[in-house]
Every structure is written in C-alpha cells, then in structure tokens.
Amino acid sequence: MDNRKGNAGWRLVTALLFVIAWISMGTVSVSAGVAEPTGDREGKEDYRMIQSLLASDGEVRLKSGETYYIVKPIILNSNQTILAKGAKIICLQGAFRGDTPRQDHYKSIKNVTVDGGTWTNIDKEGLRGSMIQFAHGQNITIKNLEVSCNYAGHAIELIAVKDTVVDNCKVKPLGYCPQDCREEQIQIDISTPATAPKVAAGGQNLVQGQTCENVTVKNCTVSGARGICANFTKTENGKYLNKFHKNIVIKNNKIEGKTGEALALFNVIGAAVEGNTITNNNGSIGESYSVGLHIAMFGKAPSAMNSAVIRVKNNVIKGGRQGMLVYSHSSSQYGKLIMQKNKCYAKAGKEKAYEIHFVKQPQVSKNQKYAW
C-alpha cells in the first residue's frame, strides 16, 4: 500500500471536516440578532433597536429574564420573526402589529411569527384598543406568549387574515368590566369602515367586507368580557350581513366570558370546536349574551354553507340562558352539525343546556345536559 495516498486521503477528509465546521459556525453567527435592553423607560431606544434588527436580519431575539420598553407597537412586515420567550415587554401603546395593509386577498403580509414574551401596557388598567393586530395577511403565527389588555380592548385582533394560528397563549383582561361591555379579547374580524377604521388608511378597497379563513386558536387560556368572537357587523344598513368567515378552529382552550359569550361564532362557514372548557359567567338567564357557546348567522349564506360542517365535540360548555345555542336570524340554514360527547350546562335549567335550530343535518349524540 502507498502510504502517501493514504495520507493524502486523510488530509482531504480533515479539510472537508474543517470546511463543514466553518460553515456551521458561520450559520450560528447569522442567527437572530439579540436585542439588549437599554433601560430607556420612554421606550424609544428599545423600540428603535428592535425595529432595526427586524429590518436588517428579519428576526430579533429578546433576552429571557430581561425587561424591554417600547414607545409604540413594533411593526412587522413579511418574513419576519420575534423570539421573546422569557422576556417582559412593557408597551406604552400597543404590542405589535402588521404594517398598514396595502393589498387585499391576504397579500399585505405573510410568513410572520411571534414566539413568546409577556406583553403588557404600562397602564395598570391596560390598553383600551388592540394590543396585537394583523390585517389582510396570511401564514401568521402567534404562540407561547402572554398578553393583557383592558376589558374594553382586544388583546389580539385578526382582520381578514388567512392561515393564521394562535397557539398556547394566555390572554387576560385588565381593569374594570362594565356590565354592558361585550368586547372580545381575541377578535376574528371582518374588514369594514366601522370594524377596522385604521385599515381604511391603506385604501377603501381594504374595507369592503373581507373576512377570515382558516384561523385556529388552540391550547390557550382566554378571559374577557367576551372571550373569543368571530365577528359580523350590522353597520351601513346591513351592507355586510352576507359576508362569512370560513373554517374557524377552536381547540383545547379554556375560555371565559364575564359579561358576554365565552365563545361566539357569527357568520361562519365550517368550524371545529373541540376539547374546550367554555364558561359564561354573565349570571343572566334572559339574554343572548349569557350563552356559553353561541353559533349564529345573520345574513344570507352562500351555497358553500350547504356542504359545510360544524363540529362540536368533547367540550364542557356552561352558560345562562343556554349552554350552547345554534340559530339563524336569516332565511339560510346551516348544512351539517356534528355534536358529540359534550357536557352542557345552563343556569336556566337542564332542558336549556343546548338548543339547535335551523340545521339541515343535525347529528347529535352522547351529549349530557345539566342545570348549573
């Protein structure tokens, strides 16, 4: 055997290993830029630094155990990520949002992730607005964070978005909750001049009744005047009553409403509500706001409603007038409802634990009714 050939082979292997190691170190060096808190309690310096790192790297990491102050909401654009596990962010206004939308059809912003952090307003009563907001976007992920907002605001507002996930978040309200407050902490919203006035700044074409599609809220704890609501609007003489959201998934959450429904799904084509604890603590037995899970439509549904399925499975649902109510306020009917293995409670009595109306194909089995 020629030892020189053997030695040459080893030198080649060594060189290749060195190159691989060098590439690996290079990969580490271009990971998320780390934002060091500046201590500026006016929030200008931390805000400027975070925005700068997002602009240069597309990704920013906030350090666990540190506190940051931001003077206004962090603005996110497409293909950007905030990693904030273990960090506390004190917001002088809101927390973060997508940039002002300029395109509809879910094209204004895409591929955005915010992972972690405790996001709270500097006012102990919380913000009376939206802490987190995205509009006309797609592929948006909000996960592993805690966010607080005033009862009269929205912790998370999603306006005309698609393929969006809220996962393992804690949403808690702050301040006083008036008995007539009906604002939801997680709002799945329609884009109209009345429901999304700030979106209109990007153009009137962005507030023509666009709705949400493929939105999932899972593994969250949510409390508010209302907990979670897929919204509709009667404004402008009912101009937008025939606009419907599509495919809303609410799974493995603990949801509470204090003065309104814990979970309301209005004008929705296709939904899955599974494995949740849904509780309305309104106390009334005479108004719709006291329902635990309220599924209703208010306008003429498109033909897609006929084949759409609403699945309600393995939930614990508690309400006042009804635990769960399915109803249509228009001439349209729901296509199919599959309701199985739920425990439903109503303060109005056992027979009011759930009520189902205007469903063409109801499949109801193995549910239990209780007085509460």
Side-chain angles (χ1 to χ4, degrees):
M1 178 177 178
D2 189 338
N3 289 330
R4 289 176 299 174
K5 290 182 180 180
N7 290 336
W10 280 112
R11 285 196 294 271
L12 178 60
V13 170
T14 303
L16 286 171
L17 290 173
F18 175 80
V19 170
I20 291 169
W22 180 80
I23 291 172
S24 298
M25 288 188 291
T27 301
V28 171
S29 69
V30 295
S31 63
V34 177
E36 296 282 350
T38 66
D40 171 27
R41 296 200 170 196
E42 291 184 355
K44 296 178 182 178
E45 296 306 317
D46 287 353
Y47 174 82
R48 185 181 296 116
M49 175 177 49
I50 292 167
Q51 290 287 180
S52 177
L53 286 168
L54 283 172
S56 62
D57 298 352
E59 188 169 294
V60 62
R61 184 184 299 275
L62 308 187
K63 296 181 73 173
S64 179
E66 298 288 357
T67 298
Y68 298 78
Y69 290 80
I70 54 173
V71 67
K72 53 187 176 181
I74 297 166
I75 301 299
L76 286 146
N77 289 287
S78 293
N79 306 310
Q80 292 186 337
T81 298
I82 298 175
L83 304 173
K85 287 185 178 180
K88 182 176 183 179
I89 304 92
I90 297 176
C91 312
L92 277 66
Q93 298 178 32
F96 55 86
R97 61 183 58 224
D99 205 352
T100 302
R102 302 295 177 187
Q103 300 181 74
D104 58 2
H105 302 294
Y106 313 110
K107 293 181 179 179
S108 282
I109 185 170
K110 63 182 180 179
N111 305 328
V112 168
T113 297
V114 179
D115 184 358
T118 298
W119 304 77
T120 187
N121 190 264
I122 197 167
D123 187 338
K124 67 179 182 180
E125 298 291 310
L127 181 72
R128 291 167 175 80
S130 295
M131 283 289 283
I132 298 167
Q133 185 187 83
F134 289 97
H136 292 286
Q138 61 182 298
N139 297 328
I140 297 164
T141 301
I142 302 166
K143 62 182 181 180
N144 303 320
L145 60 78
E146 181 176 317
V147 57
S148 55
C149 191
N150 188 270
Y151 276 101
H154 309 301
I156 301 173
E157 183 179 15
L158 304 171
I159 306 167
V161 298
K162 181 179 180 180
D163 301 332
T164 293
V165 176
V166 180
D167 182 13
N168 192 36
C169 294
K170 294 182 180 180
V171 176
K172 61 180 185 180
L174 298 174
Y176 169 71
C177 182
Q179 191 59 37
D180 61 351
C181 183
R182 314 298 182 196
E183 298 296 341
E184 50 272 0
Q185 286 295 308
I186 297 183
Q187 185 180 64
I188 301 165
D189 209 2
I190 181 172
S191 188
T192 72
T195 59
K198 290 184 179 180
V199 173
Q204 288 300 308
N205 63 308
L206 300 175
V207 285
Q208 296 300 314
Q210 295 93 331
T211 54
C212 293
E213 183 174 348
N214 301 337
V215 173
T216 298
V217 181
K218 61 182 181 178
N219 308 316
C220 295
T221 300
V222 182
S223 179
R226 263 185 179 141
I228 302 172
C229 179
N231 204 16
F232 83 108
T233 181
K234 294 180 179 179
T235 58
E236 297 187 44
N237 298 315
K239 180 179 179 179
Y240 306 105
L241 286 177
N242 297 339
K243 302 292 186 179
F244 283 71
H245 306 286
K246 296 178 182 177
N247 190 29
I248 306 301
V249 176
I250 311 294
K251 190 172 183 179
N252 297 334
N253 304 283
K254 182 179 180 180
I255 313 167
E256 179 186 5
K258 188 175 179 68
T259 54
E261 298 98 332
L263 174 59
L265 298 178
F266 297 146
N267 278 17
V268 170
I269 299 172
V273 180
E274 300 181 7
N276 304 281
T277 299
I278 300 167
T279 306
N280 188 327
N281 287 315
N282 175 287
S284 169
I285 60 170
E287 60 180 5
S288 61
Y289 294 116
S290 70
V291 176
L293 168 57
H294 192 177
I295 301 172
M297 73 171 93
F298 295 85
K300 182 176 175 57
S303 59
M305 182 65 83
N306 293 326
S307 58
V309 179
I310 294 177
R311 292 179 173 84
V312 182
K313 295 183 177 181
N314 300 310
N315 303 282
V316 176
I317 306 170
K318 296 183 177 182
R321 195 181 75 179
Q322 290 97 8
M324 169 179 158
L325 174 65
V326 180
Y327 199 86
S328 174
H329 298 270
S330 74
S331 60
S332 297
Q333 297 187 59
Y334 288 97
K336 180 185 286 187
L337 169 71
I338 299 174
M339 181 184 178
Q340 297 176 339
K341 299 181 180 180
N342 300 281
K343 294 181 178 180
C344 299
Y345 300 73
K347 290 187 177 180
K350 179 179 178 180
E351 294 308 311
K352 294 289 186 179
Y354 61 83
E355 287 190 11
I356 299 168
H357 306 274
F358 306 110
V359 178
K360 292 180 180 179
Q361 299 179 59
Q363 297 182 8
V364 180
S365 63
K366 298 181 181 180
N367 301 287
Q368 300 177 54
K369 290 184 173 184
Y370 302 94
W372 181 29

